[in-house]
Amino acid sequence: MAEFDFINKYFHRGKTPDQVMLDKGDDCALIAPSIGCALAVTTDTLVCGTHFLPDIHPHALAYRALATNISDLAAMGALPKWFSLAICLPKDLTDTESWLDKFSQGLFQLADKHNIYLIGGDTTSGPLSITITAMGEVEPTKALTRSAAQVGDRIFASGNLGGAAGALDFLLAKSTPINSDIETSLLQYFNYPEPQVELGLLLAGKANAAIDISDGLLADLSHILKASNVAASVDLDLLPIDDNLIKQFGLKKAQMLAATGGDDYQLCFTVPDEQVSLVKKLSSQARIQIKEIGIVKQGRGLEIFSEGEAVNIDQKGYQHFA
Amino acid sequence: MAEFDFINKYFHRGKTPDQVMLDKGDDCALIAPSIGCALAVTTDTLVCGTHFLPDIHPHALAYRALATNISDLAAMGALPKWFSLAICLPKDLTDTESWLDKFSQGLFQLADKHNIYLIGGDTTSGPLSITITAMGEVEPTKALTRSAAQVGDRIFASGNLGGAAGALDFLLAKSTPINSDIETSLLQYFNYPEPQVELGLLLAGKANAAIDISDGLLADLSHILKASNVAASVDLDLLPIDDNLIKQFGLKKAQMLAATGGDDYQLCFTVPDEQVSLVKKLSSQARIQIKEIGIVKQGRGLEIFSEGEAVNIDQKGYQHFA
């Protein structure tokens, strides 16, 4: 199939939005940015064998590839608008048409949900990988950056943490699900992460710093602390965790997965004291789960507490201090 | 090396431009588009084994990966502004640091020439590939599209054609260079294509349609004809060809390479009659080589002439009609 037919069949969908002045099929797309907004731009690649296993369902792969990018827009408080898709496909796929059909369904399931429009991209032959560049818009003064955390800010996490890491444990056959409900529910976190766009928009102009949790809560919070030149303490016992994760792994391992597991694509953000009640109220009204888990302090580094005691966590888990 | 150190060492360079409100290192870059301009966005991927050979020098790879993207901006008449870079690197590179050092030198050699700024990207492990999304700005009424060719427009090509295809013949060991000067000069076309930014800016608002020559002159011109619902005739004997290509391959094969070889990244564009002398004069003043090679006509399809006779060209070359 020629590239143009291929794009029309699988990747052209719906009416061209007003701000897209020239659509797919020319040398470039042309878009008309909104006046007064900054353009937020992010790029994420998923590579077979590094970010997903070869047997991933193409529907989930497309969803996740776009979700990781939209999540970065959410973490800036930006409204998702446009994206480009570079897809590298092996020549020896058993059924390329069926694969692309499922892939495009997964892609547009999420794109339509967030009203983000595919403006173009590239299709090439080679080892399976997906690179998406997503663009959104945000008023510059309201953008949520990593470097804006202030001493005294309350630290929050959205949603539940550790679910994707739990699913990865199954996928890598390190553990076996104790029942199929648990398997299904945890795999959902890994395959279909929900970028927190609505929360990001709600926080824009109210929270100070934000980041999306892709490397793991503690690692990503540390990025905020380093960029903001502040310290923090976090209470492990406050981390929001799905009951199924606890049933499967027990509380201690579930906490460890929630603290260090990546791929959740929830937001970690810091809110100045005077905005806390408003942010809680707005989140509650929007039925978005957020949980206060710690506080920003002067200094450097991240202190972690559990059951009132300082604990030390590394990649392999955590131990109580002697 | 941690990702942040890696970015700082190899990919952060120079002062952040005024329009870049937030640079590399946050969830997104934030940029302030110019008021009154459309944002031109393009994405191109180069995959090892598909678009380049495994032994390509990283300096040339970076240069070519960025050049293919800037070339798309040039074909719209857009001014290059920002780009993101997704780089997928094998873990078993013999010397990753040295590879990256050369890669970043090649990248910034071209980026600095066109004042295009790296705003972010992603680095992953896996089979070698490079995906760049480049952004530029153009006044919407001046943008050069594929669909704007008009009957009577003169068809032009810039630079010399076929050099990259000639070099590929060497690289694939289909032919042997007759001397090292010829080898060097043709390899330059393949490894270091020069995106025609200055020409694109000069043509914006004056030419009607434009495309960059990546698939081959005839294939790319056909994209213009199809998008514009017009026909054209082209004279093979007018194609601009480097003398070295003719010395190496003879006139007939050189013409075939110029007509069908890809990867030249020159522009093919159509100019209304009343703008032809101005476009020629401005190009001459800017010392940019352009050559009139044909004319846009009513109907469908592309007629090709050589020595006054219609010829038929397919992928394998061309034959005189019986």
Side-chain angles (χ1 to χ4, degrees):
Chain A
M1 195 182 295
E3 189 167 5
F4 286 115
D5 301 330
F6 170 94
I7 289 167
N8 277 328
K9 182 159 181 189
Y10 296 110
F11 294 113
H12 190 68
R13 184 143 136 170
K15 193 174 147 278
T16 307
D18 287 345
Q19 284 180 282
V20 177
M21 304 161 78
L22 187 66
D23 208 334
K24 290 168 280 289
D26 214 303
D27 295 293
C28 297
L30 284 185
I31 58 188
S34 306
I35 291 170
C37 280
L39 189 76
V41 185
T42 182
T43 297
D44 265 312
T45 300
L46 298 187
V47 181
C48 185
T50 304
H51 302 92
F52 57 91
L53 300 172
D55 63 353
I56 191 171
H57 193 289
H59 186 282
L61 172 60
Y63 193 101
R64 196 150 81 91
L66 184 55
T68 62
N69 280 278
I70 293 181
S71 179
D72 282 318
L73 296 176
M76 299 299 297
L79 182 68
K81 301 284 282 194
W82 312 286
F83 71 105
S84 72
L85 168 70
I87 176 169
C88 187
L89 272 185
K91 280 197 174 141
D92 60 358
L93 270 187
T94 43
D95 185 348
T96 303
E97 297 249 345
S98 155
W99 195 96
L100 281 170
D101 189 46
K102 289 170 194 148
F103 183 89
S104 72
Q105 282 178 35
L107 189 75
F108 288 112
Q109 182 176 320
L110 187 66
D112 292 350
K113 192 188 288 183
H114 292 292
N115 216 10
I116 187 169
Y117 187 80
L118 179 62
I119 54 169
D122 198 8
T123 52
T124 52
S125 289
L128 183 60
S129 75
I130 313 292
T131 298
I132 287 176
T133 294
M135 284 168 271
E137 295 190 319
V138 58
E139 287 177 47
T141 55
K142 293 187 172 176
L144 305 167
T145 64
R146 295 183 181 185
S147 60
Q150 298 288 328
V151 173
D153 281 1
R154 307 303 176 93
I155 301 169
F156 286 81
S158 66
N160 289 320
L161 303 180
L168 197 59
D169 232 55
F170 301 159
L171 292 169
L172 297 175
K174 289 184 181 170
S175 57
T176 310
I178 55 177
N179 66 50
S180 65
D181 282 357
I182 284 179
E183 179 175 22
T184 306
S185 101
L186 296 187
L187 283 174
Q188 185 75 6
Y189 285 106
F190 186 82
N191 286 326
Y192 294 97
E194 285 300 332
Q196 296 299 303
V197 171
E198 196 182 354
L199 177 59
L201 293 172
L202 182 158
L203 295 174
K206 296 182 189 71
N208 277 336
I211 193 167
D212 71 323
I213 301 173
S214 55
D215 295 340
L217 171 70
L218 300 182
D220 288 314
L221 175 57
S222 295
H223 293 324
I224 287 183
L225 302 180
K226 196 172 171 194
S228 303
N229 285 314
V230 290
S233 71
V234 162
D235 189 335
L236 270 193
D237 305 319
L238 296 177
L239 300 192
I241 303 177
D242 189 319
D243 283 343
N244 282 322
L245 196 70
I246 298 172
K247 280 184 201 151
Q248 171 73 30
F249 294 102
L251 179 65
K252 287 296 166 196
K253 177 150 185 205
Q255 284 182 334
M256 190 273 284
L257 292 169
T260 63
D263 298 319
D264 283 321
Y265 299 103
Q266 293 293 336
L267 296 185
C268 173
F269 53 98
T270 81
V271 181
D273 218 31
E274 64 276 17
Q275 296 282 359
V276 165
S277 60
L278 177 60
V279 163
K280 284 183 174 173
K281 186 179 142 199
L282 293 174
S283 302
S284 166
Q285 284 171 353
R287 295 168 186 269
I288 299 167
Q289 177 185 313
I290 64 171
K291 186 98 178 278
E292 192 174 331
I293 60 169
I295 190 162
V296 176
K297 309 201 294 191
Q298 275 191 321
R300 291 290 172 96
L302 174 56
E303 287 179 326
I304 303 150
F305 289 88
S306 178
E307 297 170 0
E309 289 186 69
V311 294
N312 186 23
I313 296 191
D314 63 20
Q315 290 285 341
K316 296 183 198 89
Y318 67 95
Q319 301 88 38
H320 278 271
F321 276 117
Chain B
M1 193 182 296
E3 190 166 3
F4 286 115
D5 301 330
F6 171 95
I7 290 167
N8 277 330
K9 181 158 180 190
Y10 296 110
F11 294 113
H12 191 70
R13 183 145 136 170
K15 192 173 148 280
T16 307
D18 287 344
Q19 285 180 279
V20 177
M21 304 160 78
L22 187 67
D23 209 334
K24 291 168 280 289
D26 213 303
D27 295 292
C28 298
L30 283 184
I31 58 189
S34 306
I35 291 170
C37 280
L39 188 77
V41 185
T42 183
T43 297
D44 266 312
T45 300
L46 299 187
V47 181
C48 184
T50 305
H51 303 93
F52 59 90
L53 300 173
D55 62 353
I56 192 171
H57 193 288
H59 187 280
L61 173 60
Y63 193 100
R64 195 150 82 91
L66 184 56
T68 65
N69 280 278
I70 293 181
S71 179
D72 281 318
L73 296 176
M76 299 298 299
L79 182 68
K81 301 284 285 197
W82 312 287
F83 71 106
S84 71
L85 167 70
I87 177 169
C88 188
L89 271 185
K91 279 196 174 142
D92 60 358
L93 270 187
T94 42
D95 185 348
T96 302
E97 297 250 344
S98 155
W99 195 95
L100 281 170
D101 190 45
K102 290 171 193 146
F103 183 89
S104 73
Q105 282 179 34
L107 189 76
F108 288 112
Q109 183 176 320
L110 187 65
D112 292 350
K113 192 188 288 184
H114 293 292
N115 216 10
I116 187 169
Y117 186 79
L118 179 62
I119 53 169
D122 198 7
T123 52
T124 53
S125 288
L128 183 59
S129 76
I130 312 293
T131 298
I132 287 176
T133 293
M135 283 167 272
E137 294 190 318
V138 58
E139 287 178 48
T141 55
K142 293 187 173 176
L144 305 167
T145 64
R146 295 183 181 184
S147 60
Q150 298 289 328
V151 173
D153 281 2
R154 307 303 177 93
I155 301 168
F156 286 80
S158 66
N160 289 321
L161 304 180
L168 198 58
D169 232 54
F170 302 158
L171 291 170
L172 297 174
K174 289 183 180 171
S175 58
T176 310
I178 54 178
N179 67 49
S180 65
D181 283 358
I182 284 179
E183 179 175 23
T184 305
S185 100
L186 297 186
L187 282 175
Q188 186 74 6
Y189 285 106
F190 187 82
N191 286 327
Y192 294 96
E194 284 301 333
Q196 296 298 303
V197 171
E198 195 181 356
L199 176 58
L201 294 172
L202 182 157
L203 295 173
K206 298 182 188 70
N208 279 334
I211 194 167
D212 69 324
I213 302 175
S214 55
D215 296 339
L217 171 69
L218 301 182
D220 287 314
L221 176 57
S222 294
H223 293 324
I224 287 183
L225 304 180
K226 197 174 170 192
S228 303
N229 285 313
V230 292
S233 71
V234 162
D235 189 335
L236 270 193
D237 304 320
L238 297 177
L239 300 193
I241 303 177
D242 189 318
D243 284 343
N244 282 323
L245 196 69
I246 298 171
K247 278 184 203 151
Q248 171 73 28
F249 294 102
L251 179 64
K252 288 295 167 196
K253 177 152 187 203
Q255 282 182 336
M256 192 273 285
L257 292 169
T260 64
D263 297 318
D264 282 321
Y265 299 102
Q266 293 293 336
L267 296 186
C268 172
F269 54 99
T270 81
V271 182
D273 218 32
E274 65 274 18
Q275 297 282 358
V276 165
S277 61
L278 177 60
V279 163
K280 283 182 173 172
K281 186 178 144 199
L282 293 174
S283 302
S284 165
Q285 284 172 352
R287 296 167 188 270
I288 298 167
Q289 178 185 314
I290 65 170
K291 185 96 178 282
E292 192 176 332
I293 59 170
I295 190 163
V296 176
K297 308 203 294 191
Q298 273 190 320
R300 292 289 173 96
L302 175 56
E303 289 179 327
I304 303 148
F305 290 89
S306 178
E307 297 170 0
E309 287 186 71
V311 293
N312 185 22
I313 297 191
D314 63 19
Q315 291 286 342
K316 297 183 196 88
Y318 68 93
Q319 300 89 37
H320 278 273
F321 277 115

